[in-house]
Amino acid sequence: MKEELIKIYKDISRGKLTKKEALDKIKIIKQQDQEKATGTLLANSVWKLASLDVQPEDQTEYTEHHIILCELPNLKENEIKELLPDCHFVSLSLGADQSIADRYERYAMSCFAYLQEILSNKPQGHILIQIVVGSDAEQVVFMGLSGLLQTATLENPVVKGQIICTESAIGAKKLSLQLQENVLNFEDHQVKYDEHLRYVLKREEIQAIDVRPKIAFKDRGVYLITGGMGGLGILFTKEILKQTTHSRVIVTGRSALTADRKAILEALPVRNNTVEYQQLDVSNSEQVTQCIVTICKKYEQLNGILHCAGMISDNFILKKTRDEFGKVLTPKVTGTFNLDQSSKDIDLDFLVLFSSVVSQLGNVGQSDYAVANGFMDHFAVYRNHLVQKGQRQGHTLSINWPLWQDGGMQIDQASQEALHKIYGMNPMNIATGMYAFYRFLGLRYSQTLVMEGDITQMCQSLLEDQTNHKKSISTTFEKQVISGKNHASLLEKTKDYLCKQFAKILKLEPHKIDPQAPLEKYGIDSILAMSLTDQLEKTFASLPKTLFFEYQTIHELSEYFIKFYSTRLLQYFDSEKNSQKIIEEKQDYHTKKINKRRLHRKRNVIISKDKTHSKSDDPIAIVGLSGRYPNSVDIAAYWDNLKEGRDCITEIPEDRWDWQAYYSDDRSKIGYHYSKWGGFIEGVDEFDPRFFNISPREASSIDPQERLFLQHSWMAVEDAGYTRSSLQIPRKEGLAGQVGVYVGVMYGEYQLFAVEENMRGNPISISGSYASIANRVSYFLNLHGPSMTLDTMCSSSLTSIHLACQDLKEGR
């Protein structure tokens, strides 16, 4: 590929190719290169004997070490606390009368709540969480909790977690040694001790074969598909119909059959097979039992079960509720258990559990989904153990599915791109998925994984990465004592840096981002948050994915980075300063060189001195506008009235005064007026004083002109994209907020209202100074530039704008 690209670049320089032709050729080459690298990875998990290969000097320092003990009845908690005094302990145990599914869900919820509490305290150092479970056949299912810890690490890199399976009757001294030696090997996520030997769960590649695997579905077979109306349920229903004759497929769903779903079923290529729908809640054991009993009674057999039911409710651990967490667990955990219990006496060929790669890798926002699928993975191992003991029939397989091009859980494009970037994974096509399904069933493994994409990258990230990637994702806090003066300087630089980074992603000008404003004001959602995190990780390495939910403003974020990454910030700003200096030196060198050449060419020419550039040369722009006029509540309405040539002079509105009581056609009649027309601004009484920190009593004595001007000054600033704080532009000399307020006013008759009220016996006082119109705006917006009100009769507005432009040109 490299040689081909070099040839294209040479052809461009020689004029043999246009830029467009070259781009087309490059696209073709890249596409061909991608197709060569694309392949399918099949893998399963195996326990491999593992040594302790990390030396003590490599140990990460933890500020907190949490240990969760799960069903270790013989362990004396006070003894292990004495052996590990600096650790935090939690012990989980339920009665033996509780089912494995109930216990798993309860323990998962407890671990989730405990982890949520840890993260909500904003960890200020590395944290290690170790979950210990017993080694009894049933207890091994609790290893599925590993997905919760891996997701926590992805969401916040300071958290490290592992789950350790050891003998149920272990003593305190022996367990303390096992815990301590695994502290040094925190990247081994799932560890097992068996007869004094240490094993680690690793992924191992399964070699694909060219021979088409045996079709697992039988002619005249009966198959139950839970969640059958979902994307994967429909795909596998079609596959059964395609591969068999006279088979029967029962698809289930929680809700009643709607017209849309009925249409989907009727459109299936049924041929001589049959497809029927049953409403079923897999979390209800009675419904599951009744469903399977009915199938067996009606068809006298049930050959296979595909458990596709599931749901997602994505959210960070910090923000996820217990209710959300529990709802995601139920269909996978309780549903799997209920299907097993109701079919334990049936001669099944297979029970296939549709799990996800999330259980193996974790995924940001899907801690509950990872835990739910983790149950399936380890329950498959447990059920196959029961098959060997003659207590169940039919092979159990849990498949960790990736994203499918069609069917399955779908995610947004940005998340797909992130998965490809990390793992090289592409959405899997149907043919690949079906091949993997049959291949896995033929191999008789308990748990398997399939992915399609860049085969080299997938192998590196999912297989080799397990041992060679231990240090690459570690997060190092770099704390440095910063003096008060230096802190203020570093804070300003950091805020400026973050504003620029945000501006790139949000496509805004940096000065339009207010460091004190809540980030949600700029439309920060989960996708933007991930993009911003990726951008910042280029400078700071791994960062918490919840950063933008824990810290609400750029100012708060700046304090966070100064607290934990001060050394990195100082290095960054120092290198940036040096880079800028080099650029300036190069520019200065080239400028001098160019001037020297010009001087040489024009040595006999008399050159006049350039006129010094001044601020008066700069154009002046209107960047914000707001106004209210007769019959025009805002600028847009005013413009529409102008376009339509609409006359906005009207009769005096009834809510102003009763003009008929004072009206007369006789212009000579004393005490009456002969006009009933005027231009009236609507909403002059619609003023929210508390918004402007004015008491309602004071507001009633403020001239409507002043109230309106204050309202529309705020709206004009808002229209320009500024805030009160962003107007506090710092200056080298003088106060910040050097913004002028210029007001043109004509007529001041509101004092007559006071006179009228005084005559009625209600003494009130109203200011007669219209300088307060400008001054009130300056005071409210904390502005320190010129503040003046002008009355030059009809030219007041024009004169005030003229003075404002003069002051801008003079740099005031």
Side-chain angles (χ1 to χ4, degrees), residues 257-289:
L257 186 63
T258 62
D260 289 342
R261 289 186 168 190
K262 187 177 180 182
I264 292 172
L265 293 178
E266 289 175 347
L268 290 171
V270 175
R271 299 186 301 163
N272 49 11
N273 302 296
T274 59
V275 177
E276 62 181 81
Y277 178 85
Q278 284 195 27
Q279 187 175 352
L280 173 67
D281 180 359
V282 291
S283 65
N284 187 313
S285 60
E286 292 182 2
Q287 286 187 28
V288 174
T289 300

